[in-house]
CSV table of all heavy atoms in Angstrom, one decimal:
chain,number,residue,atom,x,y,z
A,1,THR,N,2.9,-22.3,-2.4
A,1,THR,CA,4.0,-21.6,-3.0
A,1,THR,C,4.1,-20.2,-2.6
A,1,THR,O,3.2,-19.7,-1.9
A,1,THR,CB,3.9,-21.7,-4.6
A,1,THR,OG1,2.7,-21.0,-4.9
A,1,THR,CG2,3.8,-23.1,-5.1
A,2,ASP,N,5.1,-19.5,-3.0
A,2,ASP,CA,5.2,-18.1,-2.6
A,2,ASP,C,4.2,-17.2,-3.4
A,2,ASP,O,4.1,-16.0,-3.1
A,2,ASP,CB,6.6,-17.6,-2.8
A,2,ASP,CG,7.1,-17.6,-4.3
A,2,ASP,OD1,6.3,-18.1,-5.2
A,2,ASP,OD2,8.2,-17.1,-4.6
A,3,GLY,N,3.5,-17.8,-4.3
A,3,GLY,CA,2.5,-17.0,-5.1
A,3,GLY,C,1.4,-16.5,-4.2
A,3,GLY,O,0.8,-15.4,-4.4
A,4,ILE,N,1.1,-17.2,-3.1
A,4,ILE,CA,0.1,-16.8,-2.1
A,4,ILE,C,0.6,-15.7,-1.2
A,4,ILE,O,0.1,-14.6,-1.1
A,4,ILE,CB,-0.5,-17.9,-1.3
A,4,ILE,CG1,-1.2,-18.9,-2.2
A,4,ILE,CG2,-1.4,-17.4,-0.2
A,4,ILE,CD1,-1.5,-20.2,-1.5
A,5,THR,N,1.7,-15.9,-0.6
A,5,THR,CA,2.3,-15.0,0.4
A,5,THR,C,2.9,-13.7,-0.3
A,5,THR,O,3.0,-12.7,0.4
A,5,THR,CB,3.3,-15.7,1.3
A,5,THR,OG1,4.4,-16.2,0.4
A,5,THR,CG2,2.7,-16.8,2.1
A,6,GLU,N,3.2,-13.8,-1.5
A,6,GLU,CA,3.7,-12.7,-2.2
A,6,GLU,C,2.7,-11.9,-3.1
A,6,GLU,O,3.1,-11.0,-3.8
A,6,GLU,CB,5.0,-13.1,-3.1
A,6,GLU,CG,6.1,-13.5,-2.2
A,6,GLU,CD,7.4,-13.8,-3.0
A,6,GLU,OE1,7.3,-13.8,-4.2
A,6,GLU,OE2,8.4,-14.2,-2.3
A,7,ALA,N,1.4,-12.3,-3.0
A,7,ALA,CA,0.4,-11.6,-3.7
A,7,ALA,C,0.4,-10.2,-3.2
A,7,ALA,O,0.6,-9.9,-2.0
A,7,ALA,CB,-1.0,-12.2,-3.4
A,8,GLN,N,0.2,-9.2,-4.1
A,8,GLN,CA,0.3,-7.8,-3.7
A,8,GLN,C,-1.0,-7.1,-4.0
A,8,GLN,O,-1.6,-7.4,-5.0
A,8,GLN,CB,1.4,-7.1,-4.5
A,8,GLN,CG,2.8,-7.5,-4.1
A,8,GLN,CD,3.8,-6.7,-4.8
A,8,GLN,OE1,3.5,-5.8,-5.6
A,8,GLN,NE2,5.1,-7.0,-4.5
A,9,ASN,N,-1.4,-6.2,-3.1
A,9,ASN,CA,-2.6,-5.4,-3.4
A,9,ASN,C,-2.2,-4.1,-4.2
A,9,ASN,O,-1.0,-4.0,-4.6
A,9,ASN,CB,-3.4,-5.0,-2.2
A,9,ASN,CG,-2.6,-4.2,-1.2
A,9,ASN,OD1,-1.5,-3.6,-1.5
A,9,ASN,ND2,-3.0,-4.1,0.0
A,10,ALA,N,-3.1,-3.3,-4.5
A,10,ALA,CA,-2.8,-2.1,-5.3
A,10,ALA,C,-1.8,-1.2,-4.7
A,10,ALA,O,-1.1,-0.4,-5.4
A,10,ALA,CB,-4.1,-1.3,-5.6
A,11,SER,N,-1.6,-1.2,-3.4
A,11,SER,CA,-0.6,-0.4,-2.6
A,11,SER,C,0.7,-1.1,-2.5
A,11,SER,O,1.6,-0.7,-1.8
A,11,SER,CB,-1.1,-0.1,-1.2
A,11,SER,OG,-2.3,0.6,-1.3
A,12,LYS,N,0.9,-2.2,-3.2
A,12,LYS,CA,2.1,-3.0,-3.2
A,12,LYS,C,2.4,-3.7,-1.9
A,12,LYS,O,3.6,-4.0,-1.6
A,12,LYS,CB,3.3,-2.2,-3.7
A,12,LYS,CG,3.2,-1.5,-5.0
A,12,LYS,CD,3.3,-2.5,-6.1
A,12,LYS,CE,3.3,-1.8,-7.5
A,12,LYS,NZ,3.1,-2.6,-8.6
A,13,VAL,N,1.4,-3.8,-1.1
A,13,VAL,CA,1.6,-4.5,0.2
A,13,VAL,C,1.4,-6.0,-0.1
A,13,VAL,O,0.5,-6.4,-0.8
A,13,VAL,CB,0.5,-4.1,1.2
A,13,VAL,CG1,0.6,-4.9,2.5
A,13,VAL,CG2,0.7,-2.6,1.5
A,14,MET,N,2.3,-6.9,0.5
A,14,MET,CA,2.2,-8.3,0.2
A,14,MET,C,1.3,-9.0,1.2
A,14,MET,O,1.2,-8.5,2.4
A,14,MET,CB,3.6,-8.9,0.3
A,14,MET,CG,4.5,-8.5,-0.9
A,14,MET,SD,5.9,-9.5,-1.3
A,14,MET,CE,6.7,-9.9,0.2
A,15,TYR,N,0.7,-10.1,0.8
A,15,TYR,CA,-0.2,-10.9,1.6
A,15,TYR,C,0.6,-11.4,2.9
A,15,TYR,O,0.1,-11.4,4.0
A,15,TYR,CB,-0.7,-12.0,0.8
A,15,TYR,CG,-1.9,-12.7,1.4
A,15,TYR,CD1,-3.2,-12.3,1.4
A,15,TYR,CD2,-1.6,-14.0,2.1
A,15,TYR,CE1,-4.2,-13.0,2.0
A,15,TYR,CE2,-2.7,-14.7,2.7
A,15,TYR,CZ,-3.9,-14.2,2.6
A,15,TYR,OH,-5.0,-14.9,3.2
A,16,GLU,N,1.7,-12.0,2.7
A,16,GLU,CA,2.7,-12.5,3.7
A,16,GLU,C,2.2,-13.7,4.4
A,16,GLU,O,1.1,-14.0,4.5
A,16,GLU,CB,3.0,-11.4,4.7
A,16,GLU,CG,3.8,-10.2,4.0
A,16,GLU,CD,4.4,-9.2,4.9
A,16,GLU,OE1,4.0,-9.2,6.1
A,16,GLU,OE2,5.2,-8.4,4.4
A,17,LYS,N,3.2,-14.4,5.0
A,17,LYS,CA,3.0,-15.7,5.7
A,17,LYS,C,2.2,-15.5,6.9
A,17,LYS,O,1.4,-16.4,7.3
A,17,LYS,CB,4.4,-16.3,6.0
A,17,LYS,CG,5.1,-16.8,4.9
A,17,LYS,CD,6.5,-17.4,5.3
A,17,LYS,CE,7.3,-17.8,4.1
A,17,LYS,NZ,8.6,-18.3,4.5
A,18,GLU,N,2.4,-14.4,7.6
A,18,GLU,CA,1.7,-14.3,8.9
A,18,GLU,C,0.2,-14.2,8.7
A,18,GLU,O,-0.6,-14.7,9.5
A,18,GLU,CB,2.2,-13.0,9.6
A,18,GLU,CG,1.7,-12.9,11.0
A,18,GLU,CD,2.0,-14.0,12.0
A,18,GLU,OE1,3.1,-14.6,11.8
A,18,GLU,OE2,1.2,-14.4,12.8
A,19,ARG,N,-0.2,-13.5,7.7
A,19,ARG,CA,-1.7,-13.4,7.4
A,19,ARG,C,-2.2,-14.8,7.0
A,19,ARG,O,-3.3,-15.1,7.5
A,19,ARG,CB,-1.9,-12.4,6.2
A,19,ARG,CG,-3.4,-12.2,5.9
A,19,ARG,CD,-3.6,-11.3,4.7
A,19,ARG,NE,-4.9,-11.2,4.3
A,19,ARG,CZ,-5.6,-10.1,4.3
A,19,ARG,NH1,-5.1,-8.9,4.5
A,19,ARG,NH2,-6.9,-10.1,3.9
A,20,LEU,N,-1.5,-15.5,6.2
A,20,LEU,CA,-1.9,-16.9,5.8
A,20,LEU,C,-2.0,-17.8,7.1
A,20,LEU,O,-3.0,-18.5,7.3
A,20,LEU,CB,-1.0,-17.5,4.8
A,20,LEU,CG,-1.3,-18.9,4.4
A,20,LEU,CD1,-2.7,-19.0,3.8
A,20,LEU,CD2,-0.2,-19.4,3.4
A,21,LYS,N,-1.0,-17.7,7.9
A,21,LYS,CA,-1.0,-18.5,9.2
A,21,LYS,C,-2.2,-18.1,10.1
A,21,LYS,O,-2.9,-19.0,10.6
A,21,LYS,CB,0.3,-18.2,9.9
A,21,LYS,CG,0.4,-19.0,11.2
A,21,LYS,CD,1.7,-18.6,11.9
A,21,LYS,CE,1.7,-19.2,13.3
A,21,LYS,NZ,2.8,-18.7,14.1
A,22,MET,N,-2.5,-16.9,10.2
A,22,MET,CA,-3.6,-16.5,11.1
A,22,MET,C,-4.9,-17.0,10.5
A,22,MET,O,-5.8,-17.4,11.2
A,22,MET,CB,-3.6,-14.9,11.2
A,22,MET,CG,-2.5,-14.5,12.1
A,22,MET,SD,-2.4,-12.6,12.3
A,22,MET,CE,-4.0,-12.1,12.3
A,23,LEU,N,-5.1,-16.9,9.2
A,23,LEU,CA,-6.3,-17.3,8.5
A,23,LEU,C,-6.5,-18.8,8.7
A,23,LEU,O,-7.6,-19.3,9.0
A,23,LEU,CB,-6.2,-17.0,7.0
A,23,LEU,CG,-7.5,-17.3,6.2
A,23,LEU,CD1,-8.6,-16.4,6.6
A,23,LEU,CD2,-7.2,-17.2,4.7
A,24,VAL,N,-5.4,-19.6,8.5
A,24,VAL,CA,-5.5,-21.1,8.7
A,24,VAL,C,-5.9,-21.4,10.2
A,24,VAL,O,-6.7,-22.3,10.4
A,24,VAL,CB,-4.2,-21.7,8.3
A,24,VAL,CG1,-4.2,-23.2,8.7
A,24,VAL,CG2,-4.0,-21.6,6.7
A,25,GLU,N,-5.2,-20.7,11.1
A,25,GLU,CA,-5.5,-20.9,12.5
A,25,GLU,C,-7.0,-20.6,12.8
A,25,GLU,O,-7.6,-21.3,13.6
A,25,GLU,CB,-4.6,-20.1,13.4
A,25,GLU,CG,-3.2,-20.7,13.4
A,25,GLU,CD,-2.2,-19.8,14.2
A,25,GLU,OE1,-2.6,-18.7,14.7
A,25,GLU,OE2,-1.0,-20.2,14.3
A,26,GLN,N,-7.5,-19.6,12.3
A,26,GLN,CA,-8.9,-19.2,12.5
A,26,GLN,C,-9.9,-20.2,12.0
A,26,GLN,O,-11.0,-20.4,12.5
A,26,GLN,CB,-9.2,-17.9,11.8
A,26,GLN,CG,-8.7,-16.6,12.5
A,26,GLN,CD,-9.1,-15.4,11.7
A,26,GLN,OE1,-9.0,-15.4,10.5
A,26,GLN,NE2,-9.6,-14.4,12.4
A,27,HIS,N,-9.5,-20.9,10.9
A,27,HIS,CA,-10.5,-21.8,10.2
A,27,HIS,C,-10.0,-23.3,10.3
A,27,HIS,O,-10.4,-24.1,9.5
A,27,HIS,CB,-10.7,-21.4,8.8
A,27,HIS,CG,-11.2,-20.0,8.7
A,27,HIS,ND1,-12.6,-19.7,8.9
A,27,HIS,CD2,-10.7,-18.8,8.5
A,27,HIS,CE1,-12.8,-18.5,8.8
A,27,HIS,NE2,-11.7,-17.9,8.5
A,28,ARG,N,-9.1,-23.6,11.2
A,28,ARG,CA,-8.5,-24.9,11.2
A,28,ARG,C,-9.5,-26.1,11.4
A,28,ARG,O,-9.2,-27.2,11.1
A,28,ARG,CB,-7.4,-25.0,12.3
A,28,ARG,CG,-7.9,-24.9,13.7
A,28,ARG,CD,-6.8,-25.0,14.7
A,28,ARG,NE,-7.2,-24.7,16.0
A,28,ARG,CZ,-6.6,-23.8,16.8
A,28,ARG,NH1,-5.5,-23.3,16.4
A,28,ARG,NH2,-7.1,-23.6,18.0
A,29,ASP,N,-10.7,-25.8,11.9
A,29,ASP,CA,-11.7,-26.8,12.2
A,29,ASP,C,-12.6,-27.0,10.9
A,29,ASP,O,-13.4,-27.9,10.9
A,29,ASP,CB,-12.6,-26.4,13.4
A,29,ASP,CG,-11.8,-26.5,14.7
A,29,ASP,OD1,-10.9,-27.2,14.8
A,29,ASP,OD2,-12.2,-25.7,15.6
A,30,GLN,N,-12.4,-26.3,9.9
A,30,GLN,CA,-13.2,-26.4,8.7
A,30,GLN,C,-12.7,-27.6,7.9
A,30,GLN,O,-11.5,-28.0,7.9
A,30,GLN,CB,-13.0,-25.2,7.8
A,30,GLN,CG,-13.5,-23.9,8.4
A,30,GLN,CD,-15.0,-24.0,8.6
A,30,GLN,OE1,-15.8,-24.5,7.7
A,30,GLN,NE2,-15.5,-23.5,9.7
A,31,PRO,N,-13.6,-28.2,7.1
A,31,PRO,CA,-13.1,-29.3,6.2
A,31,PRO,C,-12.1,-28.7,5.2
A,31,PRO,O,-12.1,-27.5,4.9
A,31,PRO,CB,-14.4,-29.7,5.4
A,31,PRO,CG,-15.5,-29.2,6.3
A,31,PRO,CD,-15.0,-28.0,7.0
A,32,VAL,N,-11.2,-29.6,4.7
A,32,VAL,CA,-10.1,-29.2,3.8
A,32,VAL,C,-10.6,-28.4,2.6
A,32,VAL,O,-10.0,-27.3,2.3
A,32,VAL,CB,-9.3,-30.4,3.4
A,32,VAL,CG1,-8.3,-30.0,2.3
A,32,VAL,CG2,-8.6,-31.0,4.6
A,33,ASN,N,-11.6,-28.9,1.9
A,33,ASN,CA,-12.1,-28.2,0.8
A,33,ASN,C,-12.6,-26.8,1.1
A,33,ASN,O,-12.4,-25.8,0.3
A,33,ASN,CB,-13.2,-28.9,0.1
A,33,ASN,CG,-12.6,-30.2,-0.7
A,33,ASN,OD1,-11.5,-30.2,-1.0
A,33,ASN,ND2,-13.5,-31.1,-0.9
A,34,ASP,N,-13.2,-26.6,2.3
A,34,ASP,CA,-13.7,-25.3,2.7
A,34,ASP,C,-12.5,-24.4,3.0
A,34,ASP,O,-12.5,-23.2,2.7
A,34,ASP,CB,-14.6,-25.4,3.9
A,34,ASP,CG,-16.0,-26.0,3.6
A,34,ASP,OD1,-16.3,-26.2,2.4
A,34,ASP,OD2,-16.7,-26.4,4.5
A,35,LEU,N,-11.5,-24.9,3.7
A,35,LEU,CA,-10.3,-24.2,4.0
A,35,LEU,C,-9.6,-23.7,2.7
A,35,LEU,O,-9.2,-22.5,2.6
A,35,LEU,CB,-9.3,-25.0,4.8
A,35,LEU,CG,-8.1,-24.3,5.3
A,35,LEU,CD1,-8.4,-23.0,6.1
A,35,LEU,CD2,-7.2,-25.2,6.2
A,36,LEU,N,-9.5,-24.5,1.7
A,36,LEU,CA,-9.0,-24.1,0.4
A,36,LEU,C,-9.7,-22.9,-0.2
A,36,LEU,O,-9.1,-21.9,-0.6
A,36,LEU,CB,-8.9,-25.2,-0.5
A,36,LEU,CG,-8.0,-26.4,-0.2
A,36,LEU,CD1,-8.2,-27.5,-1.2
A,36,LEU,CD2,-6.5,-25.9,-0.3
A,37,ARG,N,-11.1,-23.0,-0.1
A,37,ARG,CA,-11.9,-21.9,-0.7
A,37,ARG,C,-11.7,-20.6,0.1
A,37,ARG,O,-11.7,-19.5,-0.4
A,37,ARG,CB,-13.3,-22.3,-0.7
A,37,ARG,CG,-13.7,-23.2,-1.9
A,37,ARG,CD,-15.2,-23.3,-2.1
A,37,ARG,NE,-15.8,-24.1,-1.0
A,37,ARG,CZ,-15.9,-25.4,-0.9
A,37,ARG,NH1,-15.4,-26.1,-1.9
A,37,ARG,NH2,-16.5,-26.0,0.1
A,38,ILE,N,-11.6,-20.8,1.4
A,38,ILE,CA,-11.4,-19.6,2.3
A,38,ILE,C,-10.1,-18.9,2.0
A,38,ILE,O,-10.1,-17.7,1.9
A,38,ILE,CB,-11.5,-20.0,3.8
A,38,ILE,CG1,-12.9,-20.4,4.2
A,38,ILE,CG2,-11.0,-18.9,4.7
A,38,ILE,CD1,-13.1,-21.2,5.5
A,39,ILE,N,-9.0,-19.7,1.8
A,39,ILE,CA,-7.7,-19.1,1.5
A,39,ILE,C,-7.8,-18.4,0.2
A,39,ILE,O,-7.4,-17.2,0.1
A,39,ILE,CB,-6.6,-20.2,1.5
A,39,ILE,CG1,-6.4,-20.7,2.9
A,39,ILE,CG2,-5.3,-19.6,1.0
A,39,ILE,CD1,-5.6,-22.0,3.0
A,40,GLU,N,-8.3,-19.0,-0.8
A,40,GLU,CA,-8.4,-18.4,-2.2
A,40,GLU,C,-9.2,-17.1,-2.1
A,40,GLU,O,-8.9,-16.1,-2.7
A,40,GLU,CB,-8.9,-19.4,-3.2
A,40,GLU,CG,-8.9,-18.8,-4.6
A,40,GLU,CD,-9.2,-19.8,-5.7
A,40,GLU,OE1,-9.5,-20.9,-5.4
A,40,GLU,OE2,-9.1,-19.3,-6.9
A,41,GLN,N,-10.3,-17.2,-1.5
A,41,GLN,CA,-11.2,-16.0,-1.4
A,41,GLN,C,-10.5,-14.9,-0.7
A,41,GLN,O,-10.6,-13.7,-1.1
A,41,GLN,CB,-12.5,-16.4,-0.7
A,41,GLN,CG,-13.6,-15.3,-0.6
A,41,GLN,CD,-14.8,-15.8,0.0
A,41,GLN,OE1,-14.8,-16.5,1.0
A,41,GLN,NE2,-16.0,-15.5,-0.6
A,42,ASP,N,-9.8,-15.2,0.4
A,42,ASP,CA,-9.1,-14.1,1.1
A,42,ASP,C,-8.0,-13.5,0.3
A,42,ASP,O,-7.9,-12.2,0.3
A,42,ASP,CB,-8.5,-14.6,2.4
A,42,ASP,CG,-8.1,-13.5,3.4
A,42,ASP,OD1,-9.0,-12.7,3.7
A,42,ASP,OD2,-6.9,-13.5,3.7
A,43,VAL,N,-7.3,-14.3,-0.5
A,43,VAL,CA,-6.2,-13.7,-1.3
A,43,VAL,C,-6.9,-12.9,-2.4
A,43,VAL,O,-6.4,-11.8,-2.7
A,43,VAL,CB,-5.4,-14.9,-2.0
A,43,VAL,CG1,-4.4,-14.3,-3.0
A,43,VAL,CG2,-4.6,-15.6,-0.9
A,44,ARG,N,-7.9,-13.3,-3.0
A,44,ARG,CA,-8.6,-12.6,-4.1
A,44,ARG,C,-9.2,-11.2,-3.5
A,44,ARG,O,-9.2,-10.2,-4.2
A,44,ARG,CB,-9.7,-13.4,-4.7
A,44,ARG,CG,-9.2,-14.6,-5.4
A,44,ARG,CD,-8.4,-14.3,-6.6
A,44,ARG,NE,-8.0,-15.6,-7.2
A,44,ARG,CZ,-6.9,-15.7,-8.0
A,44,ARG,NH1,-6.2,-14.7,-8.2
A,44,ARG,NH2,-6.6,-16.9,-8.5
A,45,GLN,N,-9.7,-11.3,-2.3
A,45,GLN,CA,-10.2,-10.0,-1.7
A,45,GLN,C,-9.1,-9.1,-1.4
A,45,GLN,O,-9.3,-7.9,-1.4
A,45,GLN,CB,-11.1,-10.3,-0.5
A,45,GLN,CG,-12.4,-10.9,-0.8
A,45,GLN,CD,-13.2,-11.3,0.5
A,45,GLN,OE1,-12.7,-11.3,1.6
A,45,GLN,NE2,-14.4,-11.7,0.3
A,46,PHE,N,-8.0,-9.6,-1.0
A,46,PHE,CA,-6.8,-8.8,-0.6
A,46,PHE,C,-6.3,-8.0,-1.8
A,46,PHE,O,-5.9,-6.9,-1.7
A,46,PHE,CB,-5.7,-9.7,-0.1
A,46,PHE,CG,-4.4,-9.0,0.3
A,46,PHE,CD1,-4.3,-8.3,1.4
A,46,PHE,CD2,-3.3,-9.1,-0.6
A,46,PHE,CE1,-3.2,-7.6,1.8
A,46,PHE,CE2,-2.2,-8.4,-0.2
A,46,PHE,CZ,-2.1,-7.7,0.9
A,47,GLU,N,-6.3,-8.7,-3.0
A,47,GLU,CA,-5.7,-8.0,-4.2
A,47,GLU,C,-6.7,-8.0,-5.3
A,47,GLU,O,-6.4,-8.4,-6.4
A,47,GLU,CB,-4.4,-8.7,-4.6
A,47,GLU,CG,-4.4,-10.2,-4.6
A,47,GLU,CD,-4.8,-10.8,-6.0
A,47,GLU,OE1,-4.3,-10.4,-7.0
A,47,GLU,OE2,-5.7,-11.7,-6.0
A,48,PRO,N,-8.0,-7.4,-5.1
A,48,PRO,CA,-9.0,-7.5,-6.2
A,48,PRO,C,-8.6,-6.7,-7.5
A,48,PRO,O,-9.0,-7.2,-8.5
A,48,PRO,CB,-10.2,-6.9,-5.5
A,48,PRO,CG,-9.7,-6.0,-4.4
A,48,PRO,CD,-8.4,-6.7,-4.0
A,49,ALA,N,-8.0,-5.6,-7.3
A,49,ALA,CA,-7.7,-4.8,-8.5
A,49,ALA,C,-6.3,-5.1,-9.1
A,49,ALA,O,-5.9,-4.6,-10.2
A,49,ALA,CB,-7.8,-3.3,-8.2
A,50,HIS,N,-5.5,-5.8,-8.4
A,50,HIS,CA,-4.1,-6.1,-8.8
A,50,HIS,C,-4.0,-7.6,-9.1
A,50,HIS,O,-3.9,-8.4,-8.2
A,50,HIS,CB,-3.2,-5.7,-7.7
A,50,HIS,CG,-1.7,-5.7,-8.1
A,50,HIS,ND1,-1.2,-4.7,-8.8
A,50,HIS,CD2,-0.8,-6.6,-7.9
A,50,HIS,CE1,0.1,-5.0,-9.0
A,50,HIS,NE2,0.4,-6.2,-8.5
A,51,ARG,N,-4.1,-8.0,-10.3
A,51,ARG,CA,-4.2,-9.4,-10.7
A,51,ARG,C,-3.0,-10.2,-10.3
A,51,ARG,O,-1.8,-9.7,-10.4
A,51,ARG,CB,-4.3,-9.5,-12.2
A,51,ARG,CG,-5.6,-8.8,-12.7
A,51,ARG,CD,-6.2,-9.4,-13.8
A,51,ARG,NE,-6.2,-10.9,-13.8
A,51,ARG,CZ,-7.3,-11.6,-14.1
A,51,ARG,NH1,-8.4,-11.0,-14.5
A,51,ARG,NH2,-7.2,-12.9,-14.1
A,52,GLN,N,-3.2,-11.3,-9.7
A,52,GLN,CA,-2.2,-12.2,-9.2
A,52,GLN,C,-1.3,-12.6,-10.4
A,52,GLN,O,-1.8,-13.1,-11.4
A,52,GLN,CB,-2.8,-13.4,-8.6
A,52,GLN,CG,-1.8,-14.5,-8.1
A,52,GLN,CD,-0.8,-13.9,-7.0
A,52,GLN,OE1,-1.1,-12.9,-6.4
A,52,GLN,NE2,0.2,-14.7,-6.7
A,53,ARG,N,0.0,-12.5,-10.4
A,53,ARG,CA,0.9,-12.8,-11.5
A,53,ARG,C,1.6,-14.1,-11.3
A,53,ARG,O,2.1,-14.7,-12.3
A,53,ARG,CB,1.9,-11.7,-11.7
A,53,ARG,CG,1.3,-10.4,-12.1
A,53,ARG,CD,2.3,-9.4,-12.5
A,53,ARG,NE,1.7,-8.3,-13.2
A,53,ARG,CZ,1.5,-7.1,-12.7
A,53,ARG,NH1,1.8,-6.8,-11.5
A,53,ARG,NH2,0.9,-6.2,-13.4
A,54,ASP,N,1.6,-14.6,-10.1
A,54,ASP,CA,2.4,-15.9,-9.8
A,54,ASP,C,1.4,-17.0,-9.7
A,54,ASP,O,0.2,-16.8,-9.4
A,54,ASP,CB,3.2,-15.7,-8.6
A,54,ASP,CG,4.4,-16.6,-8.4
A,54,ASP,OD1,4.4,-17.6,-9.2
A,54,ASP,OD2,5.2,-16.4,-7.5
A,55,ASP,N,1.9,-18.2,-9.7
A,55,ASP,CA,1.0,-19.4,-9.5
A,55,ASP,C,0.6,-19.4,-8.0
A,55,ASP,O,1.3,-18.9,-7.2
A,55,ASP,CB,1.7,-20.7,-9.9
A,55,ASP,CG,2.9,-20.9,-9.0
A,55,ASP,OD1,3.9,-20.1,-9.0
A,55,ASP,OD2,2.9,-22.0,-8.3
A,56,MET,N,-0.5,-20.1,-7.7
A,56,MET,CA,-0.9,-20.3,-6.4
A,56,MET,C,-1.2,-21.8,-6.2
A,56,MET,O,-2.2,-22.3,-6.7
A,56,MET,CB,-2.1,-19.4,-6.0
A,56,MET,CG,-1.9,-18.0,-6.0
A,56,MET,SD,-3.1,-17.0,-5.2
A,56,MET,CE,-4.6,-17.5,-6.1
A,57,THR,N,-0.3,-22.5,-5.5
A,57,THR,CA,-0.4,-23.9,-5.3
A,57,THR,C,-0.8,-24.1,-3.8
A,57,THR,O,-0.1,-23.6,-2.9
A,57,THR,CB,0.9,-24.6,-5.6
A,57,THR,OG1,1.2,-24.4,-7.0
A,57,THR,CG2,0.7,-26.1,-5.4
A,58,TYR,N,-1.9,-24.9,-3.6
A,58,TYR,CA,-2.3,-25.1,-2.2
A,58,TYR,C,-2.1,-26.6,-1.9
A,58,TYR,O,-2.5,-27.5,-2.7
A,58,TYR,CB,-3.8,-24.9,-2.1
A,58,TYR,CG,-4.3,-23.6,-2.5
A,58,TYR,CD1,-4.5,-23.2,-3.9
A,58,TYR,CD2,-4.6,-22.6,-1.6
A,58,TYR,CE1,-5.0,-22.0,-4.2
A,58,TYR,CE2,-5.1,-21.4,-1.9
A,58,TYR,CZ,-5.3,-21.1,-3.3
A,58,TYR,OH,-5.8,-19.9,-3.6
A,59,ILE,N,-1.5,-26.9,-0.8
A,59,ILE,CA,-1.4,-28.2,-0.3
A,59,ILE,C,-1.9,-28.1,1.2
A,59,ILE,O,-1.2,-27.4,2.0
A,59,ILE,CB,0.0,-28.8,-0.4
A,59,ILE,CG1,0.4,-28.9,-1.8
A,59,ILE,CG2,0.0,-30.2,0.3
A,59,ILE,CD1,1.8,-29.4,-2.0
A,60,VAL,N,-3.0,-28.8,1.5
A,60,VAL,CA,-3.5,-28.7,2.9
A,60,VAL,C,-3.5,-30.2,3.4
A,60,VAL,O,-4.1,-31.1,2.8
A,60,VAL,CB,-4.9,-28.1,2.9
A,60,VAL,CG1,-5.4,-28.2,4.3
A,60,VAL,CG2,-4.9,-26.7,2.4
A,61,LEU,N,-2.8,-30.4,4.5
A,61,LEU,CA,-2.8,-31.7,5.2
A,61,LEU,C,-3.5,-31.5,6.5
A,61,LEU,O,-3.2,-30.6,7.3
A,61,LEU,CB,-1.4,-32.1,5.5
A,61,LEU,CG,-0.5,-32.3,4.2
A,61,LEU,CD1,0.9,-32.6,4.7
A,61,LEU,CD2,-1.0,-33.4,3.3
A,62,LYS,N,-4.4,-32.3,6.8
A,62,LYS,CA,-5.2,-32.3,8.0
A,62,LYS,C,-4.9,-33.5,8.8
A,62,LYS,O,-5.1,-34.6,8.4
A,62,LYS,CB,-6.7,-32.1,7.7
A,62,LYS,CG,-7.5,-31.7,9.0
A,62,LYS,CD,-8.7,-31.1,8.6
A,62,LYS,CE,-9.3,-30.4,9.8
A,62,LYS,NZ,-10.3,-29.5,9.5
A,63,ILE,N,-4.4,-33.3,10.0
A,63,ILE,CA,-4.1,-34.4,10.9
A,63,ILE,C,-5.3,-34.6,11.9
A,63,ILE,O,-5.7,-33.7,12.5
A,63,ILE,CB,-2.8,-34.2,11.7
A,63,ILE,CG1,-1.7,-34.0,10.8
A,63,ILE,CG2,-2.6,-35.3,12.7
A,63,ILE,CD1,-0.4,-33.5,11.4
A,64,VAL,N,-5.8,-35.8,11.8
A,64,VAL,CA,-7.0,-36.1,12.7
A,64,VAL,C,-6.7,-37.1,13.7
A,64,VAL,O,-5.8,-37.9,13.6
A,64,VAL,CB,-8.2,-36.5,11.9
A,64,VAL,CG1,-8.7,-35.4,11.0
A,64,VAL,CG2,-7.9,-37.7,11.0
């Protein structure tokens, strides 16, 4: 959902789709559960002092 890409840090900078895309590309060989944790951890580190206000729904499909 847009809750991930629109997460904002204290400077009001948004996480954005490009950052999410790069993160997924970097870790595409990881198991799905690990990739989910990596995404959530990165979003939380991005906005540690600015609490996420929107929902964050993850759907990861891995084609093998």
Side-chain angles (χ1 to χ4, degrees):
T1 65
D2 63 355
I4 295 169
T5 57
E6 292 181 358
Q8 292 183 1
N9 63 16
S11 299
K12 304 285 186 195
V13 174
M14 290 201 316
Y15 190 84
E16 297 189 347
K17 289 179 187 177
E18 189 59 33
R19 181 181 176 126
L20 179 59
K21 180 182 170 189
M22 288 174 39
L23 185 68
V24 170
E25 286 175 355
Q26 283 179 314
H27 300 281
R28 67 176 171 231
D29 293 330
Q30 297 294 320
V32 171
N33 287 337
D34 291 348
L35 182 56
L36 290 171
R37 280 192 293 276
I38 289 166
I39 293 169
E40 183 171 4
Q41 186 176 43
D42 194 59
V43 173
R44 298 290 180 207
Q45 288 176 351
F46 178 77
E47 46 91 50
H50 191 78
R51 298 212 44 138
Q52 178 64 12
R53 292 188 167 106
D54 202 351
D55 65 297
M56 293 195 305
T57 302
Y58 305 81
I59 298 175
V60 176
L61 301 173
K62 192 157 194 163
I63 300 172
V64 292

